[in-house]
Amino acid sequence: MGHSIKRKEDARFIQGKGNYVDDIKLPGMLHMDIVRSPYAYAKIKSINAEEALKIPGVIAVVTGKDLEKYNLHWMPTLMSDTQMVLPTDTVMYQAQEVAAVIATDRYAARDGKEAVMVDYEPMKPVIDPFKALDEDAPVLRTDKEGKTDNHIWNWSVGDKEATDKLFDSADVTVKEQMHIPRIHVASIETCGCVADYNKVENHLTMYMTTQAPHAIRTVIALVAGHVGLTEEKVRVISPDIGGGFGGKVPVYPGYVIAIAVSFLVGKPVKWVEDRSENLQADSFARDYHITAEMAATKEGKIQGIRFKLLADHGYTDAAANPSKFPTGLFSICTGSYDYGTAYLEADAVYTNKPPGGVAYRCSFRVTEAVHAIERITDRLALEIGKDPAQLRFENFIKKEDFPWKSPTGWEYDSGDYHAGLQKAMDAIDYEGLRKEQAEKRARGEMMGIGISTFTEIVGAGPSKDFDILGIKMFDSAEIRVHPTGKAIARFGTKSQGQGHETTYAQIIAEELGIPAEHIQIEEGDTDTAPYGLGTYASRSTPTAGAAAAVAARKLRDKARKIAAYLLEVSEEDLEWEPGKFFVKGAPEKAKTIQEIVFAAYTNHPQGMEAGFEATHYYDPPNLTFPSGAYICVVDIDKETCEIKVRRFVAIDDCGNIINPMIVQGQVHGGLTQGIAPAMYEELIYDEDGNILNGTLMDYLVPTAVESPSWETGHTITPSPHHPIGAKGVGESPTVGAPPAIANAIVDALSPYGITHMDIPITPYKVWKVLKEKGVVE
Amino acid sequence: MIPAPFEYDAPATLDEAIALLEKHGDEAKILAGGHSLIPMMKLRFASPEHLIDINNIPGLSYIKEEDGYLKIGAMTRESELEESEIIRSKYPIFTDASKLIADPQVRNMGTIGGNIAHGDAANDHPAVMLALKAEVVATGPGGQRVIPIDEFFYGFYMTALQPNEILTEIRIPSVGAGTGNAYHKLERKVGDYATAGVAAQIAVDADGICTYAGIGLTNVNATPLRAARSEEALVGKKLTEETIAAAAQAASEDCNPSTDLRGSEEYKRSMVRVLVKRMINKATDRI
C-alpha cells in the first residue's frame, strides 16, 4: 500500500498483446452489421432484404418481426423500463437499430447493410424535453398501455415546506437555469460482442465489452430463460476493455440480436460497432436541465438550496442507476457546505432521442449535482461581493463535524475541506492571482479564477438502499493461495483501465504479506469469478477492494492458527508483521506466510480444513465521500475569445492511497474528461432529431494538445468505515473539474455583467455573449 | 470502417498512371496520402470504383529552389515540409500551416498535392497558395501545363484538373528580401478544419511601402478565397494600423462564410477580420 509500483497489466497493453473483443476469432464465426434509422421518428412501412441477400456472403437479414416469433423483440432496461431490440413497426430515434445483416465476413455484412431497403413514413418528432411535457405533445410511448403523456417519473427529497419558507424570507437568494449537456463517453474501444451458442450443449458463451459481466449474465437469463438459456447455461466473458466510463454498463440491442442469431443458427456471431454507431446510438450521459437556487444571509452564510431538474432520457429510461434512485445520487447536491435546509425535485421525460443516460465516469448523476452546487455557490459569491474562496471557507462542514448528516439524507463519512482548499490556494498562489487579475482587469484584459470544492459520493452501496434490478450492490473477492505461497484472486468487478491487476494485488499483499508480483488478479469471467455488480461509480475499491482486504484477513486468521500449531505456541503469543508471524519477545521464532501456506496443504492441524482460500462478499456499511479542491485559471483572448486554461491545480482527498501513480493517472485522465464537457463536448440535435455531430470530426473529444499541464496533489482523510480507509478516486476529477473551469470563465466575464454560462463554454459562445454586451466587434 | 468494393492499381510510372486515368475516367480517383479520400470512403461518402495509388511513382517528392521558383513535388508529405530547412528559413508560412493540419500521423502520410487537388475550401494549403500566388503543374497525356492558382479552384471539390490529369508540382515565385509570410487558423480543437483561416504574404520596400500583398482565406467561402480588396488596400501604402484595419475589414466583408457548428456567419466574419490583421502583422514582423 502506498507504493507506486508499475502496473502489472501494462506489459501486455504496451506491447499490443491485450485481448479485446474484436481480437476474438472463432471457427465458423459470422459477422453482423446493423441497419439504422435515418429518422428520429417514423413508421416502418416495409423492409426489403432482397438485394442484400443477393450479395455473396450475406446469409440473413433479421428484423423485429423475426425476433417477435421468439418474443425477443423487446428487452428490459436497467431502470425496469422497456426497449425495443428491433422494431416491428416504429422507430423512435435516429440511429436506432432497424435490421441486422448476417454474413460470412465483415465486408459482406456492411455491403448487405447498404443494400437493405427500408421504406419509412417519417413523423414529427418530439425533441425538446420541455415541449415533451406540453399537454398537446404527441404521446411517444404508445407501446405502454394507458400512457397518456411523456412523463417518466417524479422524484423528490428534502423538506419542501421548510425550504419554500426559507426562500420566502432569506436575505439573499440567487437562481440560475443550467443545462448539463448531453455527452458521450466515446471510449477508444467501441462496444461489441461475440455470441457463441453451442446447440449440442445448449450453452451460450458471450464475449462482451461489459463493465458488469455477472449482472449481464443474470439479465440474459431473465430475458432468454424462456427459450432455454437459463443462468447455468450462460457464461459471460468480459475480455480486456478499452475504456468503459459507464457506457459499457447497459445492454444494447446489438448484443441481444447477436445472441438471438447465434442461438438460431448455432454459430458464433461477432458484432462490433463502428465509431459513428457508438457515438450516435449507444447511451449518452447527463442531459439534465437544472434550476438551481441558493438562499443565504447577507453576510454569506448559506442557509439552503432548492433544485428543480428535468431529465431528458430520450426514447426510454436506459440509465444505469440503483433502482431506488431514479435520479441517481444527485441528492449529494447539497455539496461541502453546512446548512440544514434543502429540497430537490426531479422529473424525467421521453423524447425522440437515443436512450440513456449512463453515469459517465460519475457515481450516478453526481457530476450534474456538483456542477449545480458549485456554480450556484459562485453565483452567491458574486451576488454578495465576497471572494468565492472566502465564502467556501465560511460555509464548509468542519472536520470535527463528521460524520455529518446532509439535509437530503446522506451521512458523509469524513472530510477536511478547509485543508484541501488551503492546500490548493497555496499551490496556485491564490492571492497573487487575484492581484494579477485586478491589474489585468484595469487594462481591460480577461482573466478568470474558478474554484470547485466538491464532495463525491461513491462506493454503491449498502444493501439496505442499493440494488440494480433487485440485485444488491455488494461486491466480492475470492483469494486462493497455492501451496508454494503464490496466489490468484478473482473479483466481481471488471477493470477497464483502472489498474485492478495491480491495486488489488497491493491490497492483498498489504494484508497477507505475499509480494504483489506473486498475486495474479482475474476478473470478467462469470464461470470463475465470484458474483459482483461490476466496475462503475468509483465502486471497485470501496466494495471489491474492501472485500479483498476482509478475505485476506480471514486468511490471516487461519495463518495465525497454523503458525501457532507449527511453532507450538498459543495464538495469543503470536505477533504479525507483514509476511510473517513471530513469537512475542522471540522474533527469531517465526513462520513466514509462505511456510504457513505450504503447511496448509502439507501439514495442517488435525481438524482444520486444508487449503488456503477465502471468499468475501462485502456489503458496505455506508458510501464513501471523497472530496477535492480544484482551482483553475483561464485567460480569454479579447478578440477571438479563445479560452486558455493557464493553470489547473487539483487537490484530491480519496482517503488512504493504494498506488499513488495509479491515482495520479486516474486524476489526469479524469481531469481531461472534465475539461471535455466544460469546453468541448455536446451531442447536438436539430429540431428533426438529426444528430449534427455524430462523428469525432465534430464531436470534439479533447486531446493532449487541449489539456493543460495538470498540477495534482492530495490530502488524506481516511474513510472510517472502509477496511483500509480508502474512498475511491476514479471519478472525482471528472466530477470536480467542469465547475472549476466554468467558474473561472464566468469569473473572467463577470465584469461585463455575465453571471452564468452553460457548458460547453466555447470561444464562439463567449464571443456571442460579449458581442451582445458590446464588448467585442 | 469498411469501404465499398473498389479496384486498386499502383503504377510505377506517371505515364502508366495517366493511362489508367484515361481508361477509367470519372470512375477513378488518385490515391496520394489518402487522408481526405480514405475517410470519405470509410463513411461511404465516396465510392470510387478504381483507386490509382501514385505512391510508387518516383520523382514526385522534392523541395527545391530553381529558375526563380520554390518547386514542391506533389507527393511531398506535410511532415517533410515541416522538416525542410528551405521552408523553415524562407517560407515559414508552410510550417505555420503544416503544424495545424490534423496530427503527426496524418502529416506523415498527407501530401501537399493532395491537400490542394482535393479542392476543399476547408483545407489549409489552398489559402497559402493564394497568398503566395503559386502555380500548379498538371501532367496529362499531352504533357505538362501550368495553371495559375487563381484559375485552379472551381467549386466544392472541383478544380481545373481534368479527369486525365495529375497534379505533379507546385511552383511558388521565390521570395526576395523584404518579404514575410504567415498562416493561422482558428480551430475548435487540434486537427479540426478551420473556423476561419488566413494566409498572408507581405513585402515592403526600403521606405516601408507595401510592394506585395497576398491574402488567402480558408473555409469562409465555397472555394478558397483571395481577399483581393484587402490586398489592394495594402499595396502602395505604408502599413499603418489604419491601413491594416481597412484591409481586415475588407476581407471580413468579402468572404462568404456559412453558419454551422463552428459558429455564425457574423462570428466568422469577425474572426476573419481579427486574423487578417494578425497575419499581416505577423508576416510583417517576419520581414
Side-chain angles (χ1 to χ4, degrees), chain B residues 211-283:
Chain B
T211 56
Y212 175 104
I215 296 175
L217 309 180
T218 301
N219 215 14
V220 286
N221 190 57
T223 55
L225 185 68
R226 174 180 300 287
R229 278 206 306 142
S230 306
E231 295 172 354
E232 286 161 22
L234 299 172
V235 174
K237 302 206 178 78
K238 262 198 154 54
L239 295 177
T240 62
E241 217 171 285
E242 291 72 30
T243 321
I244 293 169
Q249 182 61 29
S252 82
E253 288 167 7
D254 292 352
C255 63
N256 302 289
S258 45
T259 295
D260 58 20
L261 292 175
R262 291 182 175 80
S264 66
E265 177 195 332
E266 193 189 15
Y267 167 66
K268 292 181 182 180
R269 287 187 192 279
S270 178
M271 292 306 106
V272 165
R273 184 174 53 242
V274 173
L275 287 182
V276 168
K277 180 184 76 178
R278 290 186 182 181
M279 287 309 102
I280 292 171
N281 284 328
K282 191 169 179 183

Side-chain angles (χ1 to χ4, degrees), chain B residues 117-133:
Chain B
H118 194 52
D120 187 347
N123 279 354
D124 297 289
H125 282 302
V128 173
M129 296 301 138
L130 289 166
L132 304 186
K133 299 188 179 158

Side-chain angles (χ1 to χ4, degrees), chain A residues 314-325:
Chain A
Y315 149 66
T316 184
D317 184 354
N321 289 320
S323 306
K324 282 184 198 159
F325 300 91

Side-chain angles (χ1 to χ4, degrees), chain A residues 166-167 169-174 293-305 334-341 373 376-377 380-381 383-398 401 404-405 407 418:
Chain A
L166 167 69
F167 274 83
S169 62
D171 294 349
V172 184
T173 62
V174 286
E293 293 177 89
M294 181 173 265
T297 66
K298 56 183 185 302
E299 294 80 22
K301 174 76 194 82
I302 299 171
Q303 294 172 301
I305 56 151
T334 53
S336 309
Y337 314 110
D338 184 7
Y339 54 91
T341 310
I373 183 67
I376 202 69
T377 301
L380 174 66
E383 186 75 15
I384 62 172
K386 186 170 277 208
D387 181 274
Q390 184 59 28
L391 180 77
R392 284 172 167 84
F393 276 128
E394 291 172 13
N395 283 284
F396 278 146
I397 301 159
K398 293 183 186 68
D401 290 340
W404 185 80
K405 287 234 195 291
H418 290 81

